[in-house]
Amino acid sequence: MFVLLFGPPGSGKGTQASALAERLAIPHVATGDIFRKHLREGTALGKLARSYMDRGQLVPDLVTCDLVASRLGEADAAGGVLFDGFPRSVPQLYWLLGHLGATGRGLAHVVNLQVNEELILARITGRRTCTNCGATFHVDSAPPDSSGNCRRCGSPVVQRKDDTEAVVQDRLVAYAAQTFPCLEQLTERVPVHNVDGVGSIDSVRERIFAALAL
Ligand code: ADP
Ligand code: ZN
């Protein structure tokens, strides 16, 4: 089953995706996480991606679709995946529908997480990310451990370069211009479940499970 978690930056996609992927027993494919892994490892793709990510812009479609194609070619993805942060543009969406359609597959569900802009800013500017495992924390609602390190692996946590207020504004502009238009295209083709993303992590998770009748 191929499922898509949609929503603006800071809507909680990454947080909710882990639980949802586990429940659906499919891998969680987050293009942002894959780019950041390349960035940490200093690969050529990581260097290219960084120049866009640091400015709040989308990594070019061809590069991103190539990355997703190779991830979908891995054995664990054969039965489906949960997409998080992909597609992020209408060309990426058409590429994905074509890629899946070529082998008789398709998207089963879209979960659209809805949050207001004020909350997006508070969530993203307070977000801290582990330099080693990529786990995320929030200075107020889910802080790192007492020495300021990752609760999962103990490594230092930092603010992502693209989580500063100035870059967040650019990411929201990119979302409105390039990503949001995907929703109309999706609505014509796939069941789209709108879910209120405001509230505790647990309550949003329950809403998502309910929307998908899980
Ligand atoms: P968030 O969901 O908080 O915006 P992500 O980790 O999903 O964060 O994405 C961070 C950045 O990675 C984006 O601003 C963009 O530069 C890049 N990126 C992630 N996914 C894509 C994609 N599908 N297409 C192009 N760029 C992407
Ligand atoms: Zn960690």
Side-chain angles (χ1 to χ4, degrees):
M1 170 151 58
F2 291 86
V3 178
L4 205 163
L5 201 48
F6 195 86
S11 56
K13 295 190 298 294
T15 304
Q16 298 298 337
S18 324
L20 181 58
E22 195 176 315
R23 182 67 170 257
L24 293 170
I26 51 178
H28 168 203
V29 173
T31 41
D33 289 348
I34 304 177
F35 286 136
R36 276 186 293 279
K37 183 162 179 281
H38 278 271
L39 219 126
R40 283 196 296 274
E41 291 168 357
T43 68
L45 174 61
K47 286 182 185 123
L48 178 113
R50 163 170 276 157
S51 62
Y52 295 93
M53 294 172 80
D54 285 355
R55 286 179 291 151
Q57 295 175 359
L58 297 191
V59 178
D61 290 335
L62 283 176
V63 175
T64 306
C65 293
D66 247 18
L67 181 81
V68 173
S70 64
R71 180 64 186 88
L72 290 179
E74 289 174 35
D76 67 332
V81 306
L82 176 63
F83 292 108
D84 159 11
F86 181 89
R88 235 183 175 93
S89 68
V90 171
Q92 289 181 14
L93 171 61
Y94 284 138
W95 175 86
L96 179 64
L97 295 174
H99 187 82
L100 295 177
T103 47
R105 300 170 296 174
L107 291 172
H109 297 280
V110 176
V111 174
N112 178 35
L113 273 181
Q114 300 177 304
V115 292
N116 56 63
E117 194 155 310
E118 195 185 332
L119 187 62
I120 290 175
L121 285 174
R123 281 183 179 174
I124 297 187
T125 55
R127 175 157 70 185
R128 298 295 180 267
T129 304
C130 175
T131 49
N132 174 51
C133 75
T136 56
F137 302 91
H138 190 282
V139 289
D140 302 319
S141 57
D145 73 16
S146 53
S147 35
N149 292 326
C150 176
R151 286 184 187 276
R152 197 202 281 169
C153 77
S155 302
V157 303
V158 295
Q159 183 176 47
R160 264 165 53 182
K161 247 190 190 157
D162 60 339
D163 279 350
T164 54
E165 189 148 2
V167 181
V168 172
Q169 298 292 357
D170 292 333
R171 285 162 66 192
L172 290 174
V173 169
Y175 176 78
Q178 293 171 274
T179 310
F180 184 75
C182 292
L183 204 52
E184 196 184 326
Q185 305 295 320
L186 283 163
T187 305
E188 291 172 8
R189 296 168 173 85
V190 188
V192 174
H193 311 273
N194 292 316
V195 171
D196 180 6
V198 182
S200 69
I201 291 174
D202 290 354
S203 58
V204 175
R205 186 186 60 231
E206 290 313 317
R207 281 176 215 147
I208 294 174
F209 285 6
L212 295 176
L214 292 170

